[in-house]
Amino acid sequence: SQQGEEDPQALSIQEGENATMNCSYKTSINNLQWYRQNSGRGLVHLILIRSNEREKHSGRLRVTLDTSKKSSSLLITASRAADTASYFCATVLNYGNNRLAFGKGNQVVVIP
Amino acid sequence: NAGVTQTPKFQVLKTGQSMTLQCAQDMNHEYMSWYRQDPGMGLRLIHYSVGAGITDQGEVPNGYNVSRSTTEDFPLRLLSAAPSQTSVYFCASSYEGQVTGELFFGEGSRLTVL
């Protein structure tokens, strides 16, 4: 079954604006990861947040994790045209089945 | 380092044909996996391996075989291709035996089955 559902599915913003994406999951997790995929390319890892962490930053990226609500958000600040991509959340479950389960992805378009 | 290399990048098959998608990594990663990506479905795990000689099924293993004879290589075999296997396939690896860290992805192999 799919673990990790992003919301909203598609987002179109102006360059310089912030972009926020949400991800929900259903069962206890070890960690949650966000990936970016440019059109026609492989996925690239952005950031990993562990279940005992609440917030993490990496450059213009900010990820939050709320384990009580089983949700995470990815914020991209001061977006650039190069941020146009699909963004996926992925979870590693806590009972050690050694799988990374991906959501269906968010399409983000940044208009110059 | 080349990272994760997948070949071929594009392939067209007829129903019933067999083929192997190749995946190689030069990072000495223990964990390797295959995903397929279909529109609106996200990525679904086909098979994975936590080290040479060890493989296990993922979410959608039917119609696919894998083997892991070396740390570097993790080929995916389609035994008798079906149109439902038309997809983009991604190989990914992780430096840990357990997938608790980030995955490194190849650029994908686009397969069309007629």
Side-chain angles (χ1 to χ4, degrees):
Chain A
S1 61
Q2 288 287 341
Q3 170 85 331
E5 294 287 341
E6 295 90 350
D7 174 53
Q9 299 295 309
L11 184 63
S12 183
I13 58 174
Q14 295 288 332
E15 200 167 30
E17 293 181 338
N18 295 343
T20 301
M21 288 155 274
N22 298 310
C23 168
S24 60
Y25 56 92
K26 295 174 182 169
T27 57
S28 178
I29 62 170
N30 175 284
N31 68 66
L32 186 144
Q33 304 177 29
W34 286 91
Y35 288 79
R36 183 189 74 233
Q37 183 181 33
N38 292 97
S39 181
R41 305 296 298 274
L43 281 74
V44 175
H45 182 264
L46 295 176
I47 198 163
L48 180 154
I49 187 165
R50 302 194 185 280
S51 60
N52 61 352
E53 297 175 313
R54 291 298 166 257
E55 187 171 313
K56 208 162 183 181
H57 296 257
S58 177
R60 293 184 295 111
L61 304 179
R62 173 178 170 257
V63 168
T64 61
L65 179 65
D66 187 335
T67 53
S68 66
K69 296 181 180 178
K70 292 186 170 57
S71 67
S72 172
S73 67
L74 171 66
L75 168 67
I76 305 173
T77 60
S79 62
R80 305 167 181 169
D83 295 327
T84 294
S86 292
Y87 293 83
F88 294 86
C89 71
T91 53
V92 176
L93 300 185
N94 218 8
Y95 49 83
N97 67 354
N98 219 11
R99 304 177 182 184
L100 188 61
F102 284 82
K104 296 179 181 178
N106 258 301
Q107 175 67 44
V108 175
V109 175
V110 181
I111 303 166
Chain B
N1 286 352
V4 179
T5 303
Q6 291 183 234
T7 56
K9 294 189 186 309
F10 301 94
Q11 183 72 49
V12 179
L13 290 178
K14 294 181 179 178
T15 297
Q17 288 185 318
S18 63
M19 77 156 300
T20 299
L21 299 177
Q22 302 291 345
C23 176
Q25 52 89 11
D26 61 359
M27 298 174 283
N28 202 31
H29 285 178
E30 291 292 330
Y31 184 93
M32 296 186 74
S33 56
W34 277 101
Y35 287 85
R36 60 177 289 173
Q37 184 176 32
D38 302 293
M41 297 292 293
L43 281 83
R44 293 181 292 171
L45 181 65
I46 305 172
H47 286 285
Y48 66 98
S49 168
V50 299
I54 305 169
T55 63
D56 206 347
Q57 296 182 350
E59 189 182 353
V60 288
N62 292 343
Y64 307 95
N65 272 2
V66 292
S67 59
R68 185 92 180 272
S69 56
T70 67
T71 299
E72 294 78 19
D73 300 298
F74 191 45
L76 178 71
R77 298 183 185 85
L78 281 71
L79 306 174
S80 177
S84 61
Q85 294 178 305
T86 293
S87 188
V88 182
Y89 292 85
F90 288 97
C91 180
S93 69
S94 178
Y95 66 95
E96 296 179 355
Q98 302 290 318
V99 65
T100 54
E102 66 179 281
L103 285 182
F104 294 81
F105 280 81
E107 290 296 300
S109 296
R110 184 176 295 274
L111 175 67
T112 301
V113 182
L114 302 175

